[in-house]
Amino acid sequence: MPALAQKLLVLRSHLLPLVAGHQRSSSFHQAAARYRPSGPPKLSPYDVNCILRGNEHTQEFGSGSVKSYDTNQLASNSPIEDSRTEGSCVHTSGLLLGIFDGHAGPACSQVISKRLMRYLAASLVPPDDLKTHLQNGAQSQSFVDCHNDKLEFVSEIKDIYERSFEIFANELTNTTLAGFQMHQVLENAFLRLDQDLSREALESPSIRTMSVAMSGAVAVVAHIDGPHLHIASTGDCSAVLGTVTDTGQWIAKKLTNEHNSDNVGEVRRLLNEHPATERDTVIRGERLLGQLAPLRALGDFRYKWTREQLEQLVVPQFGEHVIAPYYLTPPYLTACPEITHHILTPRDKFLILASDGLWDTMSPMQTVHLVGEHMYGKAFLQPLKLPKHDITFDEISQMLSTRKAGLQKKPLDRNAATHLIRNALGGTEYGVEHSKLSHMLSLPQDIVRLFRDDITITVVYFDSEYLRNCPT
């Protein structure tokens, strides 16, 4: 047996049971219905805090429309299939933030979380400037200053990815600023990276390129530059804007649409791309070809490659059942993102980006209320500071009374993403219940996926004063 075949067979048992993405059998549902937590909580409050805060990160900025962001993630799958990346564009003034929800393993989400940001950042550099940077030996990672990224690709795969980036970046130098459209830049970066993932697996088949090709990921990416907020979404991650009215009421503005079978327009688009004879088979059981929940994704080339390509490269390693039933007129899946542009105002206070593990448990309005309350209560975590000018005893008394009332709303977590995860898993109508939270965090690995998905959240806070004074 060839060496590649031996390596890919190792992946087979891991990839094939998961390749449908979020699919669960009826027996699993029955097991979940029968499962009832019993006995005292298995985890102490200290244990719960250690688990919830293990992956949190906060980044603050000294200027611009973004004051700071909080991010965190909690695994259900082992290893976790979600990824996240946040970084400042080195050669432009924008900030990029992304959430990537993988399926059929973590490979695709891990790879695109790094590479997509680099493709986007390079695409935003003026062509003449980009050409100069490339001539000076700039590599892909030099275009984004990542704030919470501790890993790098291994040399074997890094060289392949770097060659693809170099080709893409050099092609960008032939474009003109006159034709610059942010919508087109975002869409082109998504599609080009997906094309490169496909080509790399076809031209350089290995255990690493094939693991990415046979897995997939949905993504939501935000680009923020001054008052301009652009959201690019492929799949079912979501972005929600928290806005406050003149009367102090919170409004949740959803900036994305889920690309799944609940989206009538998305289903119509997909059906129109295939012959009428396939109307009953393109989507079956609310899934693409009866298997995949999201109707757009990066990777997942078993739904994009021709049947001949699958038979030549994939079937010998994974078996005939890697080809979905009724696989007649591929591609059935696209990585093309849906783009939203929003001009930020002083009323826009924060942006929530999250994988569907959060939205499975709470609505956009609930998340906005929780972050809004957290934002107000977090101010009382800071020491009381008296103003530098003279102040009367009555004014001090009033400040202390206000602080005393505010301390009742003081959050347990400084990080808003952690606050959301805590409420998502332990929230009840009476508040967060420790016993519920403890049970949700101590479920056995073989059943935890039945109760909760991987959760990844980034909360971005805007500077109202900057937005009040900056030109649009």
Side-chain angles (χ1 to χ4, degrees):
M1 180 181 294
L4 173 60
Q6 290 178 331
K7 291 179 180 179
L8 289 176
L9 283 174
V10 175
L11 287 174
R12 179 175 177 175
S13 61
H14 173 62
L15 289 175
L16 289 182
L18 296 172
V19 80
H22 315 303
Q23 190 170 10
R24 310 176 196 178
S25 69
S26 59
S27 62
F28 284 164
H29 283 296
Q30 293 167 4
R34 291 195 301 268
Y35 182 81
R36 293 289 184 274
S38 60
K42 297 179 181 180
L43 301 173
S44 68
Y46 175 80
D47 295 330
V48 166
N49 288 341
C50 288
I51 294 171
L52 290 180
R53 297 171 181 170
N55 296 309
E56 66 181 14
H57 176 78
T58 295
Q59 188 75 30
E60 297 181 348
F61 301 94
S63 61
S65 57
V66 175
K67 286 202 301 186
S68 65
Y69 70 80
D70 292 337
T71 184
N72 198 358
Q73 61 181 174
L74 180 71
S76 170
N77 294 290
S78 181
I80 188 171
E81 294 181 339
D82 282 6
S83 296
R84 57 182 171 164
T85 301
E86 314 88 37
S88 299
C89 298
V90 173
H91 303 296
T92 58
S93 56
L95 177 67
L96 288 164
L97 309 103
I99 302 287
F100 308 88
D101 185 353
H103 45 263
C108 187
S109 70
Q110 290 175 353
V111 167
I112 67 171
S113 69
K114 299 172 76 68
R115 296 183 68 187
L116 182 57
M117 299 310 208
R118 299 173 182 183
Y119 276 49
L120 286 166
S123 300
L124 295 168
V125 179
D128 289 344
D129 293 346
L130 178 59
K131 187 173 184 178
T132 300
H133 293 310
L134 295 174
Q135 289 173 343
N136 291 334
Q139 293 193 314
S140 62
Q141 68 269 22
S142 67
F143 287 87
V144 185
D145 179 16
C146 291
H147 302 300
N148 185 33
D149 188 0
K150 305 175 181 65
L151 303 175
E152 186 50 86
F153 296 123
V154 296
S155 57
E156 171 196 345
I157 202 75
K158 183 178 179 180
D159 293 341
I160 295 175
Y161 293 165
E162 203 60 41
R163 285 195 296 272
S164 295
F165 175 85
E166 184 179 356
I167 294 171
F168 172 60
N170 276 294
E171 290 177 6
L172 290 174
T173 63
N174 296 321
T175 60
T176 61
L177 275 176
F180 181 89
Q181 294 288 335
M182 190 64 181
H183 181 287
Q184 187 175 355
V185 166
L186 293 169
E187 182 177 302
N188 183 54
F190 271 70
L191 292 174
R192 179 53 181 265
L193 176 57
D194 199 54
Q195 292 167 9
D196 284 347
L197 294 175
S198 172
R199 179 183 50 77
E200 290 156 2
L202 293 171
E203 296 180 359
S204 305
S206 70
I207 190 171
R208 298 187 188 278
T209 57
M210 285 301 294
S211 65
V212 175
M214 289 296 99
S215 58
V218 297
V220 60
V221 174
H223 177 264
I224 307 168
D225 189 3
H228 295 281
L229 167 63
H230 286 87
I231 301 289
S233 174
T234 292
D236 54 10
C237 292
S238 293
V240 174
L241 191 66
T243 302
V244 69
T245 67
D246 290 337
T247 58
Q249 301 298 309
W250 286 106
I251 297 174
K253 182 176 182 180
K254 200 169 180 188
L255 301 179
T256 52
N257 296 307
E258 289 83 15
H259 300 130
N260 55 32
S261 60
D262 293 330
N263 184 331
V264 176
E266 187 69 3
V267 171
R268 187 180 297 115
R269 173 195 67 80
L270 187 59
L271 292 177
N272 288 339
E273 292 176 356
H274 298 275
T277 54
E278 294 186 64
R279 292 189 65 84
D280 296 330
T281 59
V282 170
I283 296 179
R284 294 186 299 123
E286 301 182 346
R287 293 171 180 270
L288 181 69
L289 298 175
Q291 296 186 343
L292 191 68
L295 302 183
R296 301 192 196 190
L298 290 100
D300 283 319
F301 295 107
R302 65 189 297 253
Y303 304 107
K304 298 174 181 176
W305 284 343
T306 66
R307 192 178 190 94
E308 291 72 21
Q309 288 172 318
L310 291 174
E311 289 174 344
Q312 291 174 11
L313 185 61
V314 184
V315 169
Q317 319 303 334
F318 295 95
E320 287 285 347
H321 51 292
V322 77
I323 301 180
Y326 305 103
Y327 196 78
L328 304 173
T329 56
Y332 289 91
L333 194 63
T334 179
C336 186
E338 189 171 351
I339 314 297
T340 301
H341 177 217
H342 176 82
I343 297 179
L344 296 167
T345 73
R347 293 181 180 177
D348 299 322
K349 301 303 180 183
F350 53 81
L351 173 71
I352 304 170
L353 304 172
S355 60
D356 65 349
L358 175 67
W359 310 115
D360 287 344
T361 64
M362 60 177 61
S363 69
M365 194 69 248
Q366 288 174 307
T367 63
V368 166
H369 273 299
L370 283 168
V371 174
E373 292 171 358
H374 180 270
M375 185 174 68
Y376 172 73
K378 191 167 64 170
F380 295 98
L381 292 172
Q382 306 299 325
L384 176 63
K385 291 183 179 181
L386 295 176
K388 294 181 179 180
H389 59 77
D390 292 339
I391 186 171
T392 66
F393 283 114
D394 287 341
E395 289 172 329
I396 293 175
S397 178
Q398 181 61 42
M399 290 176 64
L400 291 174
S401 297
T402 302
R403 185 171 178 84
K404 183 178 179 181
L407 286 173
Q408 298 176 5
K409 297 183 178 181
K410 182 180 70 173
L412 186 60
D413 304 295
R414 289 181 178 272
N415 186 296
T418 307
H419 181 66
L420 285 175
I421 296 174
R422 185 184 297 274
N423 280 270
L425 299 185
T428 70
E429 57 183 319
Y430 305 108
V432 176
E433 184 179 288
H434 172 70
S435 60
K436 180 182 178 183
L437 192 53
S438 171
H439 284 301
M440 290 296 284
L441 293 175
S442 56
L443 289 166
Q445 188 59 50
D446 58 341
I447 66 167
V448 62
R449 183 63 179 83
L450 303 173
F451 292 86
R452 59 181 177 87
D453 197 358
D454 297 332
I455 302 176
T456 301
I457 305 169
T458 298
V459 180
V460 187
Y461 292 101
F462 301 117
D463 187 329
S464 299
E465 195 61 31
Y466 175 94
L467 293 172
R468 189 173 289 110
N469 297 309
C470 75
T472 57

